[in-house]
Amino acid sequence: MKISIIIPVYKTEEVGYIYRTISGIERTIGLPLNEYTVTLVGTLPGDMFKTRLSTSIKWSFQPTDKRLGPAKNQGAEYAMGHFNPDVLVFMDAHMNFFDKQSANWGQVVYDFIMNHPNAAASPAISLYDMPVQRGYGVISDITEDDIEMDLKWKWVGEPPDNDAPFEVPGLCGCFMAMKPKTFKDSIVGYTPPLAIDDREFSIRIWLLGKDMYSIPQLSIGHRFASGYSDFSTERAIDWGMGMLLYTFLNLGSDMTMRLYEKGIHSTPDKAESLRRATTPYWKQVRQEILRKSVRTPEQYFRRFS
């Protein structure tokens, strides 16, 4: 199998966007049906897709109430165990594939990853229905301003004149393609907290020796949320945990405490967010990252900031 696509689906999703995503995959991927699979994983019941999805696509459903990162991990483990793919593609359920800018994206991404086995890659990411409005790489740079703003997301990168793939500091979580080995080498896959799991995954695999590329000859639309309908106290604490886990796993305790003291205004309980980000389990993961890292955070920010 060339490509296995993993798509988290949740009860908060508008089902019409999910159908449009999957029909867009089939229309633009540029691969025969027997060379890719789609695995839906999440809280929506699998039965609801049976009468609406194209029967020509090889798709499966894995129920879970896990959060976004662990749901992606579950989908990846299922796909690797059942389909033995050459390439994993993690994708959001609200993507828009353009007839021109997204044409043959599956073949282009597959060829790039097979020629760059230690890389993760993504097309340019556009606004949902505006292919010319696009971003390439993402980063959370550690400056005083960003700390005050809870490690605010930044789009970065400018493609070369010939639109050749180019290196970026991180990829948007709405689309990431990689070899299964890259996923396994990440140590823990995607971390649980929402909203920063893509940047955390990106910096972690870079420290572990992987590179990330944007492929600007392609563009795929993404529906960006203006906010979250269920931003409860629990979710806000979890959000703060994600910010602290980003620094704790990849930048160390000193930077974690600097962020704790100056930022993390999104959480109503900073102490609880910190406790969740520094449990014995995450301390063990931190030690494993340190043991296997071949690059340093200083090199990362010197290269990309």
Side-chain angles (χ1 to χ4, degrees):
M1 187 65 60
K2 281 190 173 181
I3 291 179
S4 281
I5 301 166
I6 295 95
I7 304 177
V9 290
Y10 290 95
K11 59 185 179 183
T12 54
E13 293 279 2
E14 294 183 32
V15 176
Y17 283 107
I18 302 173
Y19 296 144
R20 188 171 181 182
T21 297
I22 296 174
S23 65
I25 290 170
E26 184 177 15
R27 191 182 73 253
T28 62
I29 192 170
L31 293 173
L33 288 166
N34 64 350
E35 292 186 349
Y36 69 95
T37 64
V38 174
T39 297
L40 308 172
V41 55
T43 55
L44 286 174
D47 288 346
M48 72 180 299
F49 299 109
K50 289 182 179 178
T51 59
R52 294 282 298 273
L53 290 185
S54 169
T55 55
S56 57
I57 294 180
K58 186 174 182 179
W59 68 277
S60 54
F61 178 77
Q62 289 294 297
T64 186
D65 58 0
K66 295 176 181 176
R67 290 177 287 177
L68 180 63
K72 289 181 179 180
N73 297 342
Q74 178 177 326
E77 294 294 339
Y78 176 84
M80 290 186 294
H82 285 76
F83 309 123
N84 191 30
D86 297 322
V87 175
L88 294 171
V89 174
F90 298 92
M91 185 187 301
D92 279 358
H94 34 265
M95 308 300 289
N96 187 19
F97 293 85
F98 308 114
D99 289 336
K100 179 180 178 181
Q101 293 86 351
S102 309
N104 299 315
W105 65 265
Q107 188 65 59
V108 173
V109 168
Y110 176 84
D111 289 344
F112 181 85
I113 293 297
M114 295 306 289
N115 288 320
H116 300 80
N118 288 318
S122 169
I125 302 300
S126 299
L127 297 180
Y128 189 77
D129 54 359
M130 299 177 67
V132 297
Q133 298 291 328
R134 54 178 61 183
Y136 303 98
V138 298
I139 194 172
S140 281
D141 197 357
I142 307 299
T143 67
E144 293 298 332
D145 287 343
D146 288 330
I147 281 181
E148 293 298 332
M149 295 159 59
D150 283 3
L151 304 184
K152 188 176 180 181
W153 163 303
K154 292 181 180 179
W155 286 103
V156 294
E158 190 67 31
D161 291 339
N162 63 354
D163 267 354
F166 67 104
E167 192 178 357
V168 292
L171 298 172
C172 178
C174 64
F175 190 112
M176 288 189 182
M178 66 196 74
K179 295 278 288 181
K181 185 177 186 303
T182 296
F183 176 78
K184 294 175 182 177
D185 287 349
S186 71
I187 300 176
V188 291
Y190 292 92
T191 50
L194 185 67
I196 198 170
D197 62 298
D198 50 1
R199 286 162 285 163
E200 192 284 314
F201 183 88
S202 293
I203 189 173
R204 175 165 25 103
I205 65 170
W206 191 90
L207 295 175
L208 294 168
K210 312 299 182 181
D211 296 313
M212 287 153 288
Y213 287 85
S214 175
I215 306 175
Q217 75 178 82
L218 297 171
S219 175
I220 295 175
H222 177 245
R223 181 173 177 254
F224 290 91
S226 57
Y228 296 97
S229 58
D230 59 341
F231 203 79
S232 61
T233 296
E234 175 63 23
R235 189 162 186 173
I237 293 172
D238 186 63
W239 187 292
M241 171 202 171
M243 305 295 173
L244 292 163
L245 195 60
Y246 172 94
T247 55
F248 182 70
L249 292 182
N250 304 294
L251 308 181
S253 298
D254 290 346
M255 186 60 72
T256 302
M257 293 313 299
R258 179 182 164 200
L259 179 61
Y260 178 77
E261 292 165 1
K262 290 180 175 282
I264 314 300
H265 304 299
S266 58
T267 175
D269 190 339
K270 291 172 66 170
E272 177 59 17
S273 293
L274 180 65
R275 186 195 68 77
R276 296 182 187 186
T278 56
T279 61
Y281 171 75
W282 291 119
K283 289 177 180 177
Q284 182 179 359
V285 172
R286 165 66 177 161
Q287 291 304 310
E288 187 74 358
I289 294 170
L290 284 173
R291 187 175 69 84
K292 293 185 176 181
S293 290
V294 296
R295 297 163 172 166
T296 67
E298 292 76 17
Q299 290 172 323
Y300 178 84
F301 288 110
R302 190 161 56 244
R303 180 173 181 82
F304 294 116
S305 291

